[in-house]
């Protein structure tokens, strides 16, 4: 044992000393420092990692050079490590008009990550694309909307990793034992009484957005969510909670695995803090997320987090036989995998014939839409509505999927409830 | 009249230089110009000061995880601080310092914000987990 604080096994000490190569040594230094800061007792193995700093826009030249240097030093991932979205469409970047220099830099990053054995999902929804953990499995995931889904809906265990710490965990297959890996930190802390009727994924996004800004980093427990809730609704809820707040874990009474009852979720009979999400809160949150001051719409962007095949089916059903209005750009964001299926099913053709685009492997927040000078964006994502005004200089109309696609056809914002 | 204070190594290395001290938490993301090392955060105690080559002393970090990349970019551009001294390290700064090979020490036996003044000459020695302060070598 080399030091006070974090206990290291002989093997871990060897890695720290450089016996497994420079990348593993650097990875272990990062994890040991985090373990010290969080007063972890020791390291534990993780079954998988998910890395967020994959988009060129997010990491910049520094991030690109860092990952290239690691790859050149022979870094490899010891556990399955999946990759978050890019700043460009991986297939149609040329048609969509992304600049060559940006595309080159993005592909340099892809090459580096893939040479390390990274899994090319290029999506923010690894849990829905074959990288799902199982109940109680220890993982090290970045991507705030995926990690909290994994913790909450699946009952796996991860901290709110950053891109670099998740990368480090992928390289050495370990993480310090602290935070959400421990039972005591997984107890519900704020009771959220859901009294509003939640009908659409965007309603769940509004619930998440409202709750996140109040609870911050705490663990909310939702009571009153209908049994009809599913993965698509919880995908929206998860993303919103992580945008207005920093929620890494939530419980839904009677639905999520660590909340069969309210008592199990709260670990005692009642919680000190309670908030209510009723009809008024739902309405006000929709209004708060909409920053546009006129009904103009020139950009409709849905798929944050990435749309499933099912959601693309819904879009195609609305668009069949119709046309996207002149002057409106409809971009549907999803993973490369889902686009393959959608194309085989004829959904891509329906959407393209109507004048829309399926954009794959891309992140709508960290992409380069500035050159198109879009003014007003319509979206059903609270996460996109939260970040796009700042990152992409857009005004937002927030509404349901139906409102967004309907507005793409109408050429102006038209709410469809 | 040197003072030696023991602390905890977060990021290893050795560096010595002129101290720049802030009583306020520091965010690299949105806080520093990566080309020059000049602090750009409006209203910050260190606004328009240059952190390049300094022993940067502040209580703890704040802000987005992208801050780790900003530290790395500063280092690539040759305008990063030579070392960082915190009361308590926070993950974004810790990770940024480690990937950039910038020594970082925290949990010192004496509050560094009181022990060190801007202009002091400080040696950060993580081999021995200490900092050594030489008072007021530089007039500021």
């Amino acid at each position: 044992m080399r030091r006070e604080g974090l206990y290291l096994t002989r093997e871990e000490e060897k890695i720290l000393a450089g016996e497994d190569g420079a990348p593993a040594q650097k990875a272990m230094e990062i994890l040991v420092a985090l373990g010290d800061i969080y007063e972890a007792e020791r390291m534990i193995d993780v079954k998988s990692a998910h890395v967020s700093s994959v988009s060129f826009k997010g990491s910049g030249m520094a991030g690109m050079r860092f990952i290239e240097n690691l790859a050149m030093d022979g870094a490899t991932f010891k556990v399955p490590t999946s990759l978050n979205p890019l700043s460009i469409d991986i297939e149609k970047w040329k048609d969509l008009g992304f600049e060559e220099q940006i595309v080159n830099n993005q592909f340099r990053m892809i090459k580096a990550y893939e040479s390390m054995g990274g899994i090319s999902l290029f999506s923010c929804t690894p849990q829905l694309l074959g990288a799902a953990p199982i109940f109680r499995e220890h993982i090290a995931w970045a991507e705030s909307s995926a990690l909290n889904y994994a913790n909450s809906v699946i009952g796996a265990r991860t901290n709110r990793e950053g891109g670099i710490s998740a990368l480090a965990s992928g390289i050495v297959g370990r993480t310090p034992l602290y935070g959400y890996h421990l039972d005591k930190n997984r107890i519900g802390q704020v009771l959220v009484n859901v009294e509003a009727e939640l009908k659409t994924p965007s309603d769940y996004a509004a619930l998440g957005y409202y709750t996140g800004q109040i609870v911050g980093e705490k663990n909310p427990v939702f009571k009153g969510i209908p049994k009809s809730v599913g993965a698509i609704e919880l995908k929206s809820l998860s993303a919103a909670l992580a945008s207005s707040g920093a929620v890494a874990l939530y419980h839904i009474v009677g639905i999520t695995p660590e909340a069969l009852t309210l008592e199990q979720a709260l670990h005692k009979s009642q919680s000190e803090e309670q908030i209510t999400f009723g009809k008024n809160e739902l309405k006000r949150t929709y209004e708060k997320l909409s920053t546009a001051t006129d009904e103009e719409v020139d950009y409709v962007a849905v798929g944050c987090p990435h749309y499933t095949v099912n959601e693309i089916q819904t879009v195609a059903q609305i668009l069949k036989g119709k046309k996207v209005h002149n002057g409106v750009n409809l971009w549907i964001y999803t993973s490369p995998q889902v686009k393959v299926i959608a194309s085989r099913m004829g959904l891509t053709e329906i959407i393209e014939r109507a004048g829309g685009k399926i954009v794959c492997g891309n992140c709508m927040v960290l992409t380069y839409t500035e050159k198109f000078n879009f003014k007003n964006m319509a979206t059903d994502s609270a996460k996109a509505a939260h970040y796009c005004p700042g990152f992409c200089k857009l005004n937002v109309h927030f509404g349901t999927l139906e409102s967004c696609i309907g507005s793409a056809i109408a050429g102006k914002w038209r709410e469809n409830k | 009249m040197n003072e030696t204070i023991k602390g905890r190594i977060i990021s290893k290395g050795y560096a010595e230089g002129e101290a720049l001290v802030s009583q306020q938490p520091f965010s690299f993301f949105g806080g520093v110009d990566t080309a020059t090392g000049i602090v750009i955060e409006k209203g910050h105690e260190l606004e328009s000061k240059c952190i390049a080559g300094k022993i940067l002393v502040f209580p703890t970090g704040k802000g987005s995880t992208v801050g780790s990349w900003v530290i790395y970019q500063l280092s690539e551009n040759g305008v990063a601080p030579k070392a960082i001294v915190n009361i308590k390290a926070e993950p974004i700064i810790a990770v940024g310092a480690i990937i950039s090979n910038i020594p970082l020490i925290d949990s010192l036996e004496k509050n560094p914000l009181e022990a060190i003044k801007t202009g002091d000459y400080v040696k950060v020695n993580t081999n021995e987990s200490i900092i050594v302060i030489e008072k007021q070598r530089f007039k500021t």
Side-chain angles (χ1 to χ4, degrees):
Chain A
M1 198 173 92
R2 66 172 181 96
R3 56 209 294 289
E4 312 158 7
L6 188 69
Y7 169 77
L8 295 179
T9 63
R10 289 238 349 108
E11 193 192 338
E12 287 158 359
E13 292 200 24
K14 283 184 182 178
I15 298 171
L16 191 63
E19 290 184 33
D20 254 17
Q25 180 182 37
K26 191 56 82 178
M28 193 58 97
E29 280 173 22
I30 291 167
L31 297 171
V32 165
L34 291 173
D36 279 343
I37 293 173
Y38 289 111
E39 294 170 354
E41 188 187 288
R42 59 186 172 87
M43 297 284 201
I44 53 169
D45 290 343
V46 293
K47 277 295 223 354
S48 73
H50 181 79
V51 173
S52 61
S53 314
V54 183
S55 78
F56 176 68
K57 197 174 194 191
S59 312
M61 295 296 288
M64 180 188 77
R65 277 197 229 103
F66 179 74
I67 194 69
E68 278 189 324
N69 289 338
L70 266 187
M72 279 194 301
D73 282 346
T76 55
F77 291 121
K78 190 166 181 190
V79 293
T81 299
S82 44
L83 305 174
N84 225 26
L86 311 165
S87 293
I88 61 172
D89 181 309
I90 191 164
E91 288 171 14
K92 304 267 186 166
W93 50 268
K94 196 160 188 183
D95 296 346
L96 288 167
F98 290 109
E99 269 173 53
E100 202 171 323
Q101 190 51 50
I102 285 168
V103 171
N104 287 341
N105 288 335
Q106 180 67 87
F107 273 98
R108 279 170 67 175
M109 289 183 77
I110 293 171
K111 185 159 176 236
Y113 276 113
E114 287 180 343
S115 78
M116 291 166 62
I119 298 171
S120 312
L121 294 185
F122 302 130
S123 179
C124 44
T125 60
Q127 72 278 16
L128 302 178
L129 295 170
I134 58 171
F135 186 45
R136 283 200 264 259
E137 188 173 279
H138 294 282
I139 57 179
W141 280 22
E143 177 45 54
S144 56
S145 62
L147 70 93
N148 65 359
Y149 186 110
N151 267 334
S152 314
V153 181
I154 299 174
R157 300 190 166 205
T158 178
N159 286 315
R160 241 172 88 91
E161 302 295 341
I164 303 169
S165 65
L167 178 67
S169 286
I171 292 171
V172 296
R174 287 168 174 81
T175 193
L177 180 62
Y178 75 94
Y180 292 94
H181 295 283
L182 300 167
D183 289 345
K184 63 176 180 174
N185 299 317
R186 299 181 67 89
I187 297 166
Q189 295 164 303
V190 182
L191 181 60
V192 182
N193 292 301
V194 179
E195 290 173 5
E197 204 187 338
L198 304 177
K199 289 183 275 192
T200 62
S202 52
D203 288 346
Y204 283 85
L207 170 63
Y209 198 75
Y210 179 81
T211 303
Q213 70 198 354
I214 296 174
V215 308
E217 289 181 326
K218 293 192 190 153
N219 307 332
V221 178
F222 296 100
K223 190 174 134 200
I225 297 239
K227 285 265 190 274
S228 60
V229 74
I232 291 174
E233 290 79 17
L234 296 181
K235 170 166 68 81
S236 287
L237 175 66
S238 300
L241 283 166
S243 305
S244 60
V247 174
L249 172 68
Y250 59 88
H251 299 297
I252 302 179
V253 179
I255 306 278
T256 56
E258 289 166 299
L260 299 178
T261 61
L262 183 60
E263 290 66 41
Q264 183 194 5
L266 294 171
H267 214 249
K268 52 187 198 303
S269 56
Q270 60 187 63
S271 123
E272 293 120 21
E273 285 181 74
Q274 294 204 32
I275 62 174
T276 298
F277 184 79
K279 206 165 73 168
N280 283 334
E281 285 74 27
L282 178 63
K283 181 163 181 283
R284 279 194 276 117
T285 305
Y286 266 80
E287 286 163 7
K288 184 168 180 184
L289 286 166
S290 299
T291 59
T293 53
D294 58 63
E295 55 174 14
E296 301 302 315
V297 173
D298 50 0
Y299 177 46
V300 178
V302 294
C304 171
H306 280 167
Y307 262 10
T308 57
V309 176
N310 195 242
E311 289 167 295
I312 294 181
Q313 251 176 329
T314 307
V315 172
Q317 273 156 18
I318 302 174
L319 280 177
K320 195 159 189 192
K322 307 249 168 61
K323 284 261 185 264
V324 171
H325 203 272
N326 238 353
V328 180
N329 296 270
L330 169 60
W331 291 26
I332 295 142
Y333 288 77
T334 189
S335 62
Q337 273 157 277
V338 165
K339 187 174 180 187
V340 168
I341 298 168
S343 298
R344 191 175 168 79
M345 289 168 68
L347 305 175
T348 308
E349 201 194 327
I350 293 172
I351 289 167
E352 286 178 352
R353 192 169 284 175
K357 296 191 207 302
I358 297 186
V359 177
C360 72
N362 201 352
C363 169
M364 75 166 72
V365 173
L366 287 172
T367 188
Y368 295 92
T369 45
E370 302 93 329
K371 59 184 292 205
F372 300 110
N373 285 316
F374 296 140
K375 192 186 121 194
N376 284 359
M377 169 174 107
T379 187
D380 61 347
S381 164
K383 175 167 177 166
H386 176 76
Y387 286 115
C388 285
F391 268 108
C392 319
K393 318 237 181 295
L394 290 164
N395 302 315
V396 175
H397 286 291
F398 175 75
T400 62
L401 179 160
E402 289 75 12
S403 299
C404 291
I405 308 304
S407 300
I409 296 166
K412 289 205 188 304
W413 178 245
R414 289 284 174 263
E415 267 195 275
N416 180 341
K417 279 200 161 214
Chain B
M1 197 95 276
N2 291 351
E3 187 178 6
T4 298
I5 308 176
K6 239 180 138 55
R8 175 177 75 161
I9 315 157
I10 295 290
S11 172
K12 45 183 229 270
Y14 179 88
E16 53 178 84
E18 187 184 336
L20 180 60
V21 183
S22 170
Q23 305 295 318
Q24 296 171 333
F26 195 80
S27 168
F28 281 86
F29 180 66
V32 188
D33 180 327
T34 54
T36 59
I38 293 177
V39 177
I40 55 176
E41 183 182 329
K42 294 236 177 292
H44 196 277
E45 189 188 330
L46 297 183
E47 188 180 356
S48 58
K49 299 269 195 304
C50 185
I51 64 174
K54 296 288 197 311
I55 308 294
L56 189 61
V57 186
F58 57 96
T60 188
K62 62 173 186 176
S64 156
T65 57
V66 179
S68 302
W69 292 125
V70 174
I71 296 173
Y72 189 72
Q73 187 72 74
L74 286 166
S75 165
E76 294 256 294
N77 291 344
V79 293
K82 273 189 183 168
I84 296 173
V85 180
N86 287 150
I87 294 182
K88 203 82 206 296
E90 158 288 323
I92 297 164
I93 309 260
V95 171
I98 292 168
I99 64 173
S100 312
N101 295 314
I102 295 170
L104 191 159
I105 194 165
D106 81 343
S107 304
L108 292 149
E109 285 169 341
K110 258 181 90 171
N111 183 347
L113 301 184
E114 288 166 6
I116 309 171
K117 296 280 176 283
T118 293
D120 288 347
Y121 195 77
V122 176
K123 299 177 183 177
V124 177
N125 183 343
T126 65
N127 269 342
E128 295 173 46
S129 298
I130 56 169
I131 62 169
V132 181
I133 308 165
E134 207 184 286
K135 300 306 281 174
Q136 286 285 296
R137 188 198 271 203
F138 302 102
K139 293 284 178 199
T140 43

